[in-house]
Amino acid sequence: MNRDDLVRLRKARDRMDREYAEPLDITALATTALMSPGHFQRSFREAYGETPYGYLMTRRVERAKALLRRGDLTVTEVCMAVGCTSLGSFSARFTQLVGETPSAYRARSHEDSAVIAPCFVRKYARPRRA
């Protein structure tokens, strides 16, 4: 993969990081990367080791974890706040990546992580697919 492709892919990835709560589809992301949708999907997977959808959902789950730790929003409100439209799909992906349901994650204590610097929490608490 050439350097120009990587720069364009990074722009699309940065857009996903910024606009994770917006309805982003492959066509819009491919347009950001100045690529066809098929080429974009293949190139993204080659460069980052996961599909654009997988990356976007990981970002959404990562943000959802932070909102659930606060405890002032319901799981449904968190689901909508991070850009998911289906509570069932959100819960399934959350459970797959985190290892527990959003409700269980929200219900347990998160005081242990309150004393850890946020930059370390983000690095080590990032959801990962098994």
Side-chain angles (χ1 to χ4, degrees):
M1 182 173 309
N2 67 46
R3 184 179 183 280
D4 292 336
D5 282 349
L6 289 173
V7 168
R8 291 194 301 268
L9 287 170
R10 193 171 316 117
K11 285 182 183 181
R13 189 187 65 184
D14 290 347
R15 182 177 179 190
M16 284 186 264
D17 289 341
R18 278 190 320 274
E19 301 175 22
Y20 64 87
E22 301 299 320
L24 295 171
D25 61 16
I26 293 299
T27 305
L29 294 169
T31 300
T32 300
L34 304 174
M35 296 178 177
S36 71
H39 182 66
F40 172 71
Q41 287 188 71
R42 287 186 302 275
S43 299
F44 192 95
R45 183 179 201 115
E46 180 184 339
Y48 299 112
E50 61 184 324
T51 65
Y53 177 77
Y55 182 84
L56 179 60
M57 285 306 294
T58 300
R59 282 287 149 260
R60 288 176 173 171
V61 167
E62 190 173 57
R63 181 64 183 138
K65 286 175 68 176
L67 293 173
L68 290 168
R69 279 192 301 270
R70 285 187 355 199
D72 61 336
L73 298 174
T74 67
V75 172
T76 302
E77 290 170 331
V78 169
C79 170
M80 299 303 162
V82 298
C84 295
T85 56
S86 166
L87 181 59
S89 296
F90 166 75
S91 293
R93 181 56 71 112
F94 188 97
T95 302
Q96 177 187 31
L97 292 173
V98 178
E100 62 184 321
T101 66
S103 298
Y105 185 84
R106 182 180 182 273
R108 74 176 164 83
S109 173
H110 298 281
E111 290 179 9
D112 295 348
S113 63
V115 295
I116 302 170
C119 59
F120 288 109
V121 171
R122 276 192 301 275
K123 181 177 180 181
Y124 294 105
R126 181 170 187 242
R128 288 181 174 75
R129 282 192 293 197

